[in-house]
Each structure stands twice: as C-alpha cells, then as structure tokens.
Amino acid sequence: SYPSRSAFGMHRAARMKKRLSLLLQALVSVILLAWIFWRPEFRTQVWQVVTSADPAWLAAGFAVAGLGNLLGVVRWAVFLKVLRISLPVWEIVRLSFVGLFFNSFLVGAVGGDAVKVVWLAARGHNKTSALLSVLMDRMSGLGALVLCSLTFMLWRLDWLMSSPVVAGVIRFVFGYLAVVILLMAFSFVISARGLTGRLPQRLPGRRVILEFTDTYIRFVSAWRATLVASALSLVILLAYFATFYCSARAFGVNLPVPDFFAFMPAVDIISALPVSLGGFGVRDKLFGILLGDLAGVPMAQAVSVSLGGAVLSLLWGLFGLALLPSYRQVVRS
C-alpha cells in the first residue's frame, strides 16, 4: 500500500542520512589525525613519549576508568528500581557493559542506550519505562557535567583566560552550558505548570523538551533516589577526568589537579559534539591547544595524554564484547 511504501521510504532516507553523518564524522577524525601525525619527526616524538610511559600511572588510570564504569552500573540500577523494573544484578552488569561496548567500538551502529532498551523489551518489560530509565541516567550525567564544569572552570577562570585561544574555547563552552541550563529550566517550568501539550508541533527541540519533562516528574517523585544518582554522577565524571589525569602523569605531564580538571569540561563537551567519530581528532587537537597554551606542554606529550586517556576508557568496553553472545541469545529468543 502507499502508506507502507511512504514509511519505508522515510525509514530508508533516515538511514541514509545517518550513514552520511557517520561518514562525515569519520572523515573529520581521519583528517584531523592525519594533520596531527603528518610530520615524521612528530610521530617519532610521540613514540618516544609512549615508550617512556610510567606503567604504574597507566594501571591507575585503567582502574579509575573501571571504577567509573562500575558506578555507572549502580546509577542505572537506581533508576531501574525507581521505575520498578526488577532485574538481577548480573543482568544489569551485562547490559551495561554490552552497551558500553557498542558505544565504544561500534559508534553509530546501535547506541548503547538502544541496546538496553531492546533487551528489556525482549524480556517483556515496558518499553516506555525502559526508555525512561536510560534517559534519566543520561540526564543525571548531564546535570553533573553542568555542575562540575561551572565549578572547576570558574575556580581557575583567570588561568584559563590567560591565553586568547583558550579563552575563545572557554567562552564557547560557557555558551553551550547556558543553552543547556536554559533548556532544562524551560522544560522544568512547563512541566511544573502542565503546559507540555500546548507546545507548538514545529517548535525546535520539542521532542527533547517533552522527554525532559517526563523525566522531571520521575526525578521529583523519587527525590531520594535522585540525590543518590546525582552523587554517583559526580563521582563518575570525576573518575573520567581522573583517567586522563593518570594518563598525563604516565606521559610526564605533572599539572596540579585543579588546573587539569579546570580544562577537562571543555575537552569533554566539545569532543562529544557530533563532529568527529568518538571525539577522535577533535579531542587530541584540543589537548594540544589547551595543554600547550596553558602549561607549555609539547604537542607530542599532549596528544599522547589524549589518546592514552581515551584508550584506558575504551578498554573496558571489551568486557562487553565477551558478554555479547549471551545478550544476542536473549534478544533473538
């Protein structure tokens, strides 16, 4: 029938658009990495930095990254309990690490959140509740990012603004945070006043605002669990920053913790934008600019810190690969 063909065409167009977006992101990452590593002498310098790394600090970074991932499992379990989705601890761990694997190594194929929702739906759980659990998990992390970003950046603002180039990056990040805060405040107000149904259909970001409002209701009704999850989110984000700090120490960059944590929100926010594939290229260039301008760190060291921190985080996704066969068995049954 005509409607089914129309729906199929829309689905196909959406898939093509997604593939084109991924192709462009991959192209950006390849171009930036090729630009960074173009000179043979630079590659030699990076190799010298990497081969002289302190294994104790690398091990510490790997452990800290693992702690952050395990606390992420606990945080999602908190929201599952709020939504009355009962799962054994092992199932929550398995789902979380399989989702981490998809996010880490299959960027753009199927998101880690979608992996969780599909599995829960296959086991007969309510799909709306499953979606809400991952949305609450994400929003909790977003709130922690806003709080930590403002705290650490304002704490060392004079130092961050001492470089004109870095100052431009910081202004962009403050602008981004302002938009996020306004969006969250706006969605909270219309949720509290029951005005969500009156939003114009063509309002930009309407779907996101509606998702926010549904989540706020759950946050308020389960405020004790929200506080616990928020505390976990702060520790998870600090563990992420600390992973890169350990990478910095491993590669010979000894910057005070407050200074290092002051520019990490800028790296995290900008590299998470859908510009490159997994942040590769963008994150490495940012480390080179920020560490170079603020602390005089050579580009080879800065790029090594960036790649080292990313690898330490990504390695934990391999545990999800080992658990993938059992996940597929449940989904296909």
Side-chain angles (χ1 to χ4, degrees):
S1 64
Y2 178 79
S4 62
R5 290 181 181 179
S6 176
F8 176 76
M10 291 175 63
H11 179 67
R12 185 175 180 181
R15 288 179 61 186
M16 290 295 295
K17 184 178 179 180
K18 184 176 181 180
R19 289 176 180 175
L20 179 60
S21 176
L22 288 173
L23 180 61
L24 292 174
Q25 290 175 28
L27 186 61
V28 169
S29 290
V30 169
I31 291 173
L32 286 174
L33 288 172
W35 179 28
I36 293 171
F37 286 93
W38 184 258
R39 294 180 292 109
E41 60 271 23
F42 179 78
R43 295 196 295 270
T44 301
Q45 292 168 5
V46 171
W47 177 250
Q48 291 172 347
V49 172
V50 171
T51 53
S52 62
D54 185 340
W57 277 108
L58 290 177
F62 181 71
V64 171
L67 174 64
N69 286 316
L70 290 174
L71 290 178
V73 176
V74 177
R75 183 181 65 187
W76 187 46
V78 169
F79 290 125
L80 288 174
K81 186 176 181 180
V82 168
L83 295 166
R84 297 179 181 178
I85 298 177
S86 180
L87 289 179
V89 173
W90 167 243
E91 297 290 5
I92 299 174
V93 172
R94 176 171 62 174
L95 273 176
S96 297
F97 276 93
V98 170
L100 179 63
F101 167 71
F102 274 78
N103 280 337
S104 300
F105 295 97
L106 300 178
V107 180
V110 180
D113 291 344
V115 164
K116 296 176 182 178
V117 173
V118 168
W119 192 93
L120 290 172
R123 291 297 298 268
H125 295 282
N126 183 272
K127 188 174 181 180
T128 300
S129 296
L131 284 168
L132 198 54
S133 74
V134 297
L135 182 60
M136 292 175 75
D137 196 54
R138 289 291 182 182
M139 280 188 63
S140 178
L142 180 61
L145 178 61
V146 171
L147 179 60
C148 281
S149 298
L150 293 176
T151 300
F152 288 121
M153 291 170 66
L154 290 174
W155 188 4
R156 297 293 286 127
L157 187 60
D158 290 344
W159 179 65
L160 292 172
M161 303 300 282
S162 63
S163 162
V165 175
V166 177
V169 173
I170 298 304
R171 291 191 187 98
F172 171 82
V173 173
F174 276 133
Y176 173 89
L177 291 173
V179 171
V180 171
I181 292 171
L182 287 173
L183 176 62
M184 294 177 71
F186 175 67
S187 58
F188 180 79
V189 170
I190 64 172
S191 175
R193 297 188 176 183
L195 302 176
T196 54
R198 301 182 183 180
L199 293 175
Q201 292 292 332
R202 295 185 178 182
L203 178 69
R206 183 178 186 274
R207 181 181 61 82
V208 177
I209 293 172
L210 291 178
E211 289 176 346
F212 272 134
T213 56
D214 290 339
T215 307
Y216 284 134
I217 296 172
R218 296 289 184 173
F219 278 152
V220 173
S221 62
W223 62 269
R224 289 186 179 87
T226 298
L227 289 177
V228 172
S230 298
L232 287 171
S233 295
L234 290 172
V235 179
I236 291 168
L237 186 61
L238 292 176
Y240 176 75
F241 291 174
T243 300
F244 282 87
Y245 176 77
C246 291
S247 176
R249 294 299 303 270
F251 296 121
V253 178
N254 189 5
L255 201 65
V257 173
D259 291 352
F260 194 89
F261 280 24
F263 71 77
M264 274 302 298
V267 173
D268 188 27
I269 289 171
I270 296 177
S271 62
L273 296 175
V275 175
S276 62
L277 203 58
F280 282 100
V282 172
R283 178 174 48 243
D284 311 314
K285 191 62 181 175
L286 277 172
F287 263 96
I289 294 172
L290 297 175
L291 283 177
D293 280 29
L294 294 173
V297 176
M299 187 69 172
Q301 272 184 293
V303 171
S304 298
V305 170
S306 174
L307 293 175
V311 170
L312 290 172
S313 299
L314 289 174
L315 285 175
W316 282 95
L318 294 176
F319 288 97
L321 177 61
L323 301 172
L324 189 57
S326 59
Y327 168 86
R328 286 178 171 172
Q329 184 179 2
V330 172
V331 171
R332 291 174 179 174
S333 62

